[in-house]
Amino acid sequence: MGRTKEDASIGIIGMGDMGKMYAQRLSDAGWRINACDRPENFESLKQEFASQKGVTIFPNGHLVSRISDYILYSVEAGVIDKVVAQYGLSTKVGAIVGGQTSCKAPELAAFEKHLPSDVEIVSCHSLHGPKVNPQGQPLVLIQHRASDESLKFVENILSSFGSKHVHLTGEMHDRITADTQAVTHAAFLSMGTAWQANTQFPWEHGRWVGGIENVKINITLRIYSNKWHVYAGLAILNPAAKQQIRQYAESVTDLYKLMIGGQREELKRRVKAAGASVFRPGSEGQDLLLKDEVLDRFSLSNRPREKAPPNSHLSLLAIVDCWSKLGIVPYDHMICSTPLFRLWLGVTEYLFRNQDLLEEALDTAIDDSTFRSDDLEFTFAARAWSDCVSFGDFESYRHRFERIAEYFAPRFPEAATLGNEMMKTILEKTTSNN
Ligand SMILES: NC(=O)C1=CN([C@@H]2O[C@H](COP(=O)(O)OP(=O)(O)OC[C@H]3O[C@@H](n4cnc5c(N)ncnc54)[C@H](OP(=O)(O)O)[C@@H]3O)[C@@H](O)[C@H]2O)C=CC1
Ligand SMILES: O=C(O)C(=O)Cc1ccc(O)cc1
């Protein structure tokens, strides 16, 4: 089997956002790519890639599999079993197969079930979206059923991304990404749900101008402007994610009850104890991941920001409570973190490492009823998303997601421009080395 650029070729099955990004970058790096999407997309895909040197589009996965030396399945997580069942037997003798889906248990199970035994398995996962520059971002590699030499071959293929290779088992990958991805998305999905329930575009209200709020708004819109199946797949198919998301919903509910019950001392005690277990003493002198001047630059609002308006920050208090209850130290996951996770940790840290800001949030939660209805809707939303993930029903997830996405859709273009700029600037300051 060929193992160099001159004599090997790479197959990509599923030419959606990630598949196209891989095809583009790997062919630019000099690899020969054989790619396909669904048969009905053959003609349009062929036209789209007509001028991309090194990429050949085929009508289906059989034709890709039989001639490629490393084959990557880059399809929706929910259909991985079906697609591998369809094309797996056509895999070239002695080839290596991998997948790009965000949850590895079903993907690896599908490979074991459907691939011939002479086929090796090295899977991967780029921990960022298709529009993020892979340079310096984590790239997980899973040597599931393969020789060291085959792993090296795959590493060589993917080396042109300039990503940081992280070697994990499938099981470790799923445990970590439940912490970093699934629960992070649950928080932002819930924010969007609450804003929609109260028919708000939050940046049109003075209470949501500046700083942390910019990140909340931009990321929420970014998620809702993406494909629902990416978020549904990694939450519903990952068993560890259900528990994490449930804990997040419980933390939100518990803290909300303390707020409306006026239990100031108990609220402060619980939140500060959680903060102490997540933001360990001794870290005070370290640089914050995010700073005011960065946060303030990316507002969808045209209102001036004078002083940060007080906010109970229930979503942030709850994530720290959740991490603490689950014994998660988020900094331990930096090596395997997505950009969104680093932003989420960044804003949380920003609140918890500023004692005045934290006190203000806790006092606001008790004394100021301005946010009560928003926090109530947020609590409902967190519980509803948790139920939706626990029930494991893709269609109801899709329905919820798309209903809310539709509400925000008119604002996606401006949010995307600003959000991309924000991600770029902030990512330069929050690498996975932090
Ligand atoms: N988007 C992201 O930020 C990231 C996504 N991932 C993961 O990567 C995978 C791909 O995601 P993404 O590219 O965003 O999703 P897309 O929906 O853009 O791409 C998936 C593609 O696979 C195609 N497909 C489905 N069935 C078949 C089949 N039988 N044969 C050939 N092609 C098929 C789909 O066609 P159709 O649309 O017609 O069904 C679609 O074009 C997912 O598992 C996702 O979880 C990983 C990292 C980041
Ligand atoms: O950064 C995030 O969490 C994203 O939303 C982008 C994303 C989505 C799915 C992945 O498997 C990896 C990255």
Side-chain angles (χ1 to χ4, degrees), residues 78-99:
V79 299
I80 186 78
D81 185 78
K82 199 182 84 190
V83 182
V84 180
Q86 212 176 351
Y87 305 129
L89 286 180
S90 301
T91 310
K92 180 174 169 178
V93 176
I96 308 165
V97 168

Side-chain angles (χ1 to χ4, degrees), residues 21 35 41 73 141 157 199 221 232 240 424:
M21 188 268 270
N41 298 335
Y73 285 79
L141 290 160
I157 294 172
T199 54
L221 264 73
K424 194 162 160 277

Side-chain angles (χ1 to χ4, degrees), residues 287-291 293-294 297 342 423-432 434:
D287 254 7
L288 283 175
L289 293 174
L290 302 172
K291 298 206 175 64
E293 66 273 15
V294 176
R297 276 173 43 196
R342 295 200 289 283
M423 292 287 269
K424 194 162 160 277
T425 310
I426 294 179
L427 290 181
E428 282 161 12
K429 294 171 192 290
T430 61
T431 69
S432 52
N434 276 301

Side-chain angles (χ1 to χ4, degrees), residues 14-137:
M15 285 288 276
D17 298 333
M18 289 305 282
K20 283 180 188 172
M21 188 268 270
Y22 266 56
Q24 194 91 48
R25 287 183 177 270
L26 293 175
S27 59
D28 285 346
W31 292 95
R32 270 185 300 122
I33 309 293
N34 312 308
C36 74
D37 201 85
R38 290 178 188 275
E40 55 268 37
N41 298 335
F42 171 57
E43 287 300 338
S44 60
L45 201 57
K46 203 165 103 175
Q47 270 178 21
E48 190 181 334
F49 279 82
S51 59
Q52 179 72 25
K53 199 166 156 273
V55 179
T56 311
I57 303 296
F58 289 87
N60 63 56
H62 294 295
L63 297 169
V64 167
S65 295
R66 63 192 281 278
I67 55 167
S68 306
D69 300 289
Y70 180 49
I71 299 144
L72 256 181
Y73 285 79
S74 188
V75 299
E76 295 91 327
V79 299
I80 186 78
D81 185 78
K82 199 182 84 190
V83 182
V84 180
Q86 212 176 351
Y87 305 129
L89 286 180
S90 301
T91 310
K92 180 174 169 178
V93 176
I96 308 165
V97 168
Q100 177 64 239
T101 67
S102 312
C103 178
K104 294 303 175 191
E107 178 186 293
L108 295 171
F111 291 156
E112 281 177 9
K113 189 165 156 202
H114 303 297
L115 293 176
S117 57
D118 60 69
V119 169
E120 293 185 274
I121 302 169
V122 179
S123 227
C124 68
H125 185 192
S126 286
L127 289 176
H128 56 83
K131 298 210 173 75
V132 171
N133 183 346
Q135 179 87 35
Q137 300 296 334

Side-chain angles (χ1 to χ4, degrees), residues 318-386:
I319 192 63
V320 174
D321 189 76
C322 169
W323 282 332
S324 155
K325 285 262 182 291
L326 294 168
I328 293 170
V329 179
Y331 297 95
D332 292 349
H333 294 331
M334 276 316 226
I335 184 70
C336 201
S337 61
T338 65
L340 288 198
F341 177 73
R342 295 200 289 283
L343 283 173
W344 182 225
L345 178 58
V347 286
T348 311
E349 183 197 62
Y350 181 89
L351 175 65
F352 274 77
R353 281 182 44 202
N354 180 336
Q355 287 312 310
D356 293 344
L357 200 56
L358 184 60
E359 283 292 336
E360 183 186 66
L362 293 165
D363 285 324
T364 302
I366 298 289
D367 299 326
D368 184 346
S369 57
T370 327
F371 276 91
R372 286 280 151 77
S373 61
D374 304 312
D375 285 346
L376 174 68
E377 288 293 356
F378 182 76
T379 307
F380 286 150
R383 294 169 68 109
W385 278 110
S386 168

